[in-house]
Amino acid sequence: MNVNEFEKKQILFAFLNQGEKVSFSNDNIVIKDAEGKIKHQSTCYRLFAVFICGHMTVTSGLIERSHRFGFPIILMSTSLKVYEFIGGKMEGNVVLRKYQYAYDKLDLAKHILLNKLMNQRTLLNLQRVKSEEVKNSISQIDGYLQGLKEYVGDDVQTMLGFEGSTARVYFKNHFNNIPWQGRKPRIKADFVNSTLDIGYTILFNFIDSLLNVYGFDVYCGVLHRQFYMRKSLVCDLVEPFRPLIDRQVKKAINLGQCKAEDFALINHKYLLEWKHNPQYVSFLLQPLLENKREIFLYVQSFYRAFMKQKEAEAFPVFDLR
């Protein structure tokens, strides 16, 4: 797939209510309501990925078309947790996987972390009116960036220490429009952390789908090391793009699109109510669609550089600006 083909592709999120069905007709994917009326119809030729939230029946026709047209079907629970990934994978890229399994350096890990920290710094610097605290935080991040650049050791935990130090000053100064309680992944301690988790999940699956276009072993990472059933390479490549989600969440809070009333507090966790899922996915997906060409080229360039065994400096960089 080239970039021009990718730009014409569509990403479909389907939120299925009781009695609604997904079917196919003349190479079109069709979503019907409980009365059999068509809610949505798209040609399979234009699909890049299909996300289905809610309960559905998987048929052989669904799986066959997924393979024939090369799009994955990602099944998600009502809480947007992925539980199955069907079709849409490139199989048999043996040379690429040999290179992945043989790679044992940390230069790519450092390259990816530098890109992430650079974009976090950029996002703070884009604030029109900067308080002294924000200015000081930018200076601190400059120090962490310099420290990471100059680090020549082989301890990934030391490099992650620079990332953690940056995160502590970055998040509280980015989300300075609310009482910020700290970034707490997956704990869902407040509605902002829950919204970030949703956004990062969408980003994760977007990157996952792109990596599968090229046949990567997504469980074999360069920064996040191998851990049972963790897609470490996907975790790696989402890092430079996280500030896209961070910026969109802050914007949504300012516009009143994202608010605590949309969440239910269950077992000390803020969980988004089902009826609000389409709205949240819509605004969180927006920055990814606006930057989909750049994201595609990043993954494509990463693949080409990996296949040519290039030095880390030749690997792609995503610039938030």
Side-chain angles (χ1 to χ4, degrees):
M1 185 189 301
N2 60 45
V3 66
N4 292 325
E5 292 172 331
F6 179 70
E7 284 191 307
K8 296 180 176 65
K9 294 287 186 178
Q10 297 175 330
I11 298 172
L12 176 63
F13 268 85
F15 296 90
L16 300 185
N17 295 309
Q18 188 69 32
E20 295 184 337
K21 297 179 180 179
V22 178
S23 61
F24 288 91
S25 176
N26 298 324
D27 293 334
N28 291 304
I29 188 169
V30 179
I31 301 174
K32 296 180 179 179
D33 63 19
E35 285 74 43
K37 295 180 181 179
I38 295 177
K39 289 181 60 179
H40 179 84
Q41 182 170 313
S42 295
T43 173
C44 293
Y45 291 96
R46 297 282 299 276
L47 289 175
F48 173 69
V50 177
F51 295 82
I52 299 177
C53 307
H55 302 291
M56 66 165 293
T57 300
V58 178
T59 65
S60 58
L62 188 76
I63 298 171
E64 187 271 331
R65 284 171 174 83
S66 170
H67 285 281
R68 194 206 315 173
F69 293 101
F71 62 85
I73 299 170
I74 298 99
L75 303 182
M76 310 177 81
S77 68
T78 53
S79 60
L80 301 180
K81 181 180 180 180
V82 175
Y83 62 87
E84 189 58 76
F85 191 107
I86 301 171
K89 295 182 179 181
M90 181 195 214
E91 303 287 351
N93 197 337
V94 177
V95 174
L96 171 62
R97 296 198 173 195
K98 281 184 176 179
Y99 287 154
Q100 281 190 266
Y101 302 148
Y103 177 80
D104 61 357
K105 297 183 289 184
L106 288 176
D107 55 343
L108 280 180
K110 183 176 179 179
H111 180 79
I112 290 168
L113 283 176
L114 283 170
N115 195 176
K116 177 183 181 179
L117 268 60
M118 178 191 75
N119 283 333
Q120 289 178 325
R121 183 203 186 279
T122 296
L123 193 52
L124 290 185
N125 199 44
L126 286 173
Q127 293 185 22
R128 283 185 233 176
V129 180
K130 297 188 244 326
S131 66
E132 284 303 313
E133 186 176 4
V134 171
K135 291 177 183 177
N136 290 335
S137 297
I138 292 172
S139 296
Q140 283 183 268
I141 293 175
D142 285 337
Y144 299 140
L145 274 166
Q146 191 61 34
L148 182 55
K149 286 177 184 176
E150 294 174 354
Y151 179 70
V152 293
D154 59 358
D155 180 17
V156 71
Q157 293 304 320
T158 299
M159 292 195 292
L160 289 172
F162 290 107
E163 178 196 35
S165 297
T166 299
R168 280 190 286 275
V169 297
Y170 162 73
F171 278 108
K172 71 176 182 178
N173 285 284
H174 173 62
F175 288 110
N176 53 10
N177 56 333
I178 59 166
W180 177 249
Q181 302 299 319
R183 175 68 184 131
K184 299 170 183 176
R186 296 175 296 279
I187 295 177
K188 306 186 188 305
D190 54 59
F191 78 99
V192 181
N193 271 287
S194 290
T195 305
L196 286 170
D197 286 346
I198 295 169
Y200 293 156
T201 296
I202 295 169
L203 171 62
F204 183 95
N205 288 298
F206 189 39
I207 298 293
D208 189 12
S209 300
L210 279 171
L211 287 170
N212 278 296
V213 168
Y214 294 98
F216 279 99
D217 182 342
V218 295
Y219 294 92
C220 184
V222 296
L223 168 60
H224 297 84
R225 295 300 169 163
Q226 284 65 49
F227 186 79
Y228 181 71
M229 295 302 289
R230 180 176 68 188
K231 293 183 176 181
S232 297
L233 186 62
V234 187
C235 294
D236 293 347
L237 266 61
V238 302
E239 296 294 0
F241 302 102
R242 286 182 185 269
L244 287 173
I245 299 298
D246 302 339
R247 178 167 61 183
Q248 189 68 2
V249 172
K250 182 174 182 178
K251 178 181 176 182
I253 293 170
N254 289 336
L255 293 174
Q257 295 173 301
C258 174
K259 47 191 182 296
E261 304 89 84
D262 296 337
F263 293 77
L265 185 58
I266 301 174
N267 295 327
H268 307 290
K269 293 183 178 182
Y270 281 80
L271 303 176
L272 184 63
E273 294 182 358
W274 168 254
K275 64 182 179 181
H276 298 300
N277 275 343
Q279 171 197 342
Y280 274 66
V281 168
S282 178
F283 72 69
L284 289 168
L285 189 59
Q286 184 179 341
L288 305 186
L289 296 179
E290 290 172 350
N291 290 273
K292 73 175 187 176
R293 178 184 178 88
E294 290 75 17
I295 298 172
F296 175 86
L297 289 173
Y298 178 95
V299 176
Q300 182 187 67
S301 298
F302 188 92
Y303 166 73
R304 290 175 175 174
F306 210 97
M307 288 295 286
K308 293 178 181 179
Q309 299 283 276
K310 291 188 175 183
E311 296 297 320
E313 293 76 17
F315 276 72
V317 172
F318 173 67
D319 190 340
L320 187 70
R321 293 170 295 180

